[in-house]
Amino acid sequence: QETGAVGPAEAPHRRLSNWGGLGGAYDTKVYPAKSLCSHCGLCDTRYITYVRDSCAFLNQHIAELEQKVHGRSRALDSEDELYFGVFQSMLVARKKKPIAGAQWTGIVSSLAIAMLESGLVEGVVCVQSSKDDRFKPVPVIARNRAEILAARVNKPTLSPNLSVLDAVERSGIKRLLFIGVGCQVEALRSVQDRIGLEKLYVLGTPCVDNVTRAGLQKFLDTTSSSPETVVYYEFMQDFRVHFKHDDSVIGGPGRKWDEIVPFFALNTQELKEVFAPSCLSCFDYVNGLADLVVGYMGAPFGWQWLVARNETGLEMLELARQVCGLEEGPVDACGDRRAAVQQSITAYDRALTLPRWIAEFLAIIIGKIGPKGLEYARFSIDSHFTRNYLYVRRRYPEKLDAHVPEYAKRIVSQYKLPDT
Ligand code: FAD
Ligand code: SF4
């Protein structure tokens, strides 16, 4: 465990040329899932013994794990569960006093702090940044508020969060909070009974379109006018990518979002291959095996989207309500995504990029009349599942049937896909 890692705002941004590909041992080690490996960290621990059964890319078994973790698999005839997984409660919320430097309002970090300080857990697995590169992930077992806060904000790169599992076992921790994305959580759920824990809490985030460190550099260089100074970014519900820069540029201190690029202006030709193969073949966007999920895509702009899947998730949500200073609201939906998704399938395949002024204009129109709330979330899920289904069908046809979960097959079947 690296201790005393600096927070993301302080760590500088290092150019790719300084450190090559994925970094460290990843460059040479061959992982069992080979090119599909998301470097979730499991194979950096003694639990590599169980990789064949546990890896999200070697043995997709979400329905079976839903049964184990939530007591049932998702109801495929309920549109909400088909899309968002098993849940008991879904709402939107935001912290009245956001945490500075968090990805959104910091619900994840403040709930983690509350769980640790109330004694519910003894440690929190989360991911800080390397001292010399704010985008290089450093998974840790945080044991105090400062260490959790140093992990705030997304590290938009593949992160080996499970690599600390051996250290968890050695530490003697019996009550643990794990924060992570779907592929990490699927592998963790598969081995959780072997770690010697009395209680495991899983606080998940949705995840899509993640990249290697090399891929991130290409994305920043292609899309931002000042790649060196990007502190964080998000693909937002207004159909634009929002980049936050450090204090040296553009908006300067106090400006939350400094640079905005419409989705339709992204250089699709250049970026088509930028996403990691694991993420181009992932169908667990909404982190179906976490107890509580905190994202944004089912919420209005500026709000977060919370999905409590089971009793443990409800317990975590209740604590968040008591101590995190939340403003809450119900989930809502409007618009119809289907035509836009169908068009996006062809546009992505042909790698169409629009001139900037048309892209700006489209973002304004779609922002006004396009899908919102849960319908925006369904738009994003449909677009990514159809793209990923085609990717797996073309690259790994022998894996298609077993790797794509039934819920994803049903979602994809609503659209007309190219024959080849
Ligand atoms: P913070 O308080 O800022 O805490 C962020 C937490 O995320 C930290 O605890 C940290 O440990 C953890 N973390 C950071 N990077 C990683 C990583 N690479 N792997 C695992 N854990 C990490 N939400 C959506 O609704 N739709 C999306 O499409 C979407 N895409 C995402 C893609 C990625 C790669 C990631 C990491 C998250 C994504 N999210 C998405 C979640 C969303 O961006 C926020 O992370 C979430 O809403 C929590 O915000 P916060 O302010 O509460 O988090
Ligand atoms: Fe191992 Fe995780 Fe890679 Fe699968 S994704 S091969 S479990 S490190």
Side-chain angles (χ1 to χ4, degrees):
Q1 179 187 352
E2 179 172 320
T3 52
V6 292
E10 302 96 271
H13 172 93
R14 243 192 180 196
R15 286 198 66 81
L16 176 68
S17 54
N18 290 339
W19 68 283
L22 276 163
Y26 298 153
D27 288 339
T28 48
K29 185 169 169 181
V30 175
Y31 286 79
K34 299 188 180 135
S35 57
L36 283 180
C37 175
S38 69
H39 299 279
C40 73
L42 187 85
C43 297
D44 304 320
T45 69
R46 74 174 188 87
Y47 299 97
I48 189 175
T49 315
Y50 308 105
V51 65
R52 295 268 151 222
D53 295 333
S54 311
C55 174
F57 303 97
L58 294 175
N59 178 33
Q60 180 283 117
H61 58 310
I62 294 172
E64 185 190 315
L65 288 171
E66 282 176 337
Q67 186 77 42
K68 171 178 163 182
V69 175
H70 309 314
R72 64 182 178 86
S73 58
R74 69 186 73 187
L76 296 176
D77 48 6
S78 144
E79 197 190 26
D80 280 347
E81 289 218 350
L82 181 74
Y83 273 85
F84 308 128
V86 175
F87 71 93
Q88 299 203 18
S89 179
M90 198 191 293
L91 64 148
V92 302
R94 60 184 173 190
K95 273 175 68 62
K96 289 176 198 153
K97 292 186 185 156
I99 295 181
Q103 183 71 15
W104 282 80
T105 70
I107 292 177
V108 166
S109 298
S110 57
L111 176 56
I113 290 169
M115 291 178 71
L116 189 69
E117 294 187 345
S118 67
L120 212 52
V121 296
E122 301 154 88
V124 177
V125 174
C126 50
V127 52
Q128 299 179 347
S129 307
S130 153
K131 285 190 177 71
D132 57 0
D133 181 353
R134 67 167 70 98
F135 293 129
K136 186 175 174 192
V138 178
V140 297
I141 309 165
R143 304 292 286 253
N144 58 48
R145 168 183 287 256
E147 288 173 356
I148 293 172
L149 282 175
R152 73 199 186 281
V153 83
N154 291 358
K155 269 50 77 178
T157 45
L158 302 177
S159 175
N161 285 21
L162 294 177
S163 62
V164 298
L165 281 190
D166 286 336
V168 168
E169 214 174 352
R170 281 196 304 272
S171 71
I173 287 175
K174 295 292 172 204
R175 303 179 68 83
L176 182 77
L177 171 65
F178 180 89
I179 301 173
V181 298
C183 55
Q184 300 159 358
V185 173
E186 185 172 349
L188 174 65
R189 290 304 197 185
S190 306
V191 300
Q192 69 178 42
D193 299 339
R194 304 178 188 277
I195 308 170
L197 297 172
E198 281 163 16
K199 179 73 184 173
L200 171 67
Y201 293 85
V202 178
L203 177 49
T205 67
C207 182
V208 80
D209 290 350
N210 213 341
V211 286
T212 62
R213 184 60 182 80
L216 174 65
Q217 195 62 49
K218 182 164 186 189
F219 172 73
L220 295 175
D221 288 345
T222 312
T223 312
S224 172
S225 55
S226 176
E228 298 290 326
T229 55
V230 172
V231 181
Y232 57 76
Y233 66 86
E234 190 73 90
F235 285 73
M236 304 276 273
Q237 303 99 318
D238 62 352
F239 296 85
R240 296 169 173 96
V241 190
H242 293 238
F243 292 94
K244 168 89 172 79
H245 290 271
D246 67 25
D247 290 345
S248 65
V249 287
I250 315 179
R255 286 279 302 273
K256 177 84 178 150
W257 301 108
D258 291 323
E259 186 185 10
I260 296 176
V261 179
F263 291 175
F264 312 104
L266 294 177
N267 188 337
T268 322
Q269 190 69 47
E270 281 288 312
L271 296 176
K272 217 172 169 192
E273 299 293 324
V274 86
F275 303 120
S278 54
C279 307
L280 288 167
S281 50
C282 169
F283 296 91
D284 189 21
Y285 191 169
V286 297
N287 211 327
L289 299 168
D291 298 311
L292 177 69
V293 177
V294 180
Y296 67 87
M297 65 185 180
F301 192 85
W303 290 70
Q304 294 186 258
W305 174 57
L306 277 66
V307 185
R309 302 199 177 284
N310 53 28
E311 290 301 318
T312 303
L314 288 176
E315 181 190 355
M316 294 159 76
L317 177 60
E318 193 46 42
L319 182 65
R321 285 182 159 137
Q322 284 168 19
V323 298
C324 295
L326 299 184
E327 191 183 348
E328 292 181 29
V331 284
D332 201 0
C334 77
D336 186 344
R337 71 198 182 276
R338 288 186 181 83
V341 174
Q342 189 64 61
Q343 279 159 17
S344 77
I345 296 170
T346 329
Y348 183 82
D349 246 17
R350 293 188 190 152
L352 297 177
T353 303
L354 299 174
R356 181 66 184 247
W357 70 270
I358 299 182
E360 300 273 11
F361 181 68
L362 261 183
I364 293 170
I365 300 294
I366 295 182
K368 282 200 191 322
I369 61 166
K372 294 199 178 57
L374 293 183
E375 187 67 1
Y376 175 86
R378 284 187 283 260
F379 163 80
S380 196
I381 291 169
D382 286 354
S383 316
H384 287 96
F385 279 14
T386 48
R387 181 198 68 184
N388 289 9
Y389 187 87
L390 283 172
Y391 180 84
V392 178
R393 198 181 77 185
R394 288 166 178 163
R395 304 284 178 105
Y396 306 95
E398 73 292 352
K399 283 178 77 76
L400 187 70
D401 193 41
H403 183 67
V404 183
E406 181 57 28
Y407 61 82
K409 286 178 183 151
R410 291 200 189 190
I411 289 171
V412 170
S413 71
Q414 301 171 101
Y415 297 96
K416 181 165 170 29
L417 301 185
D419 293 333
T420 54

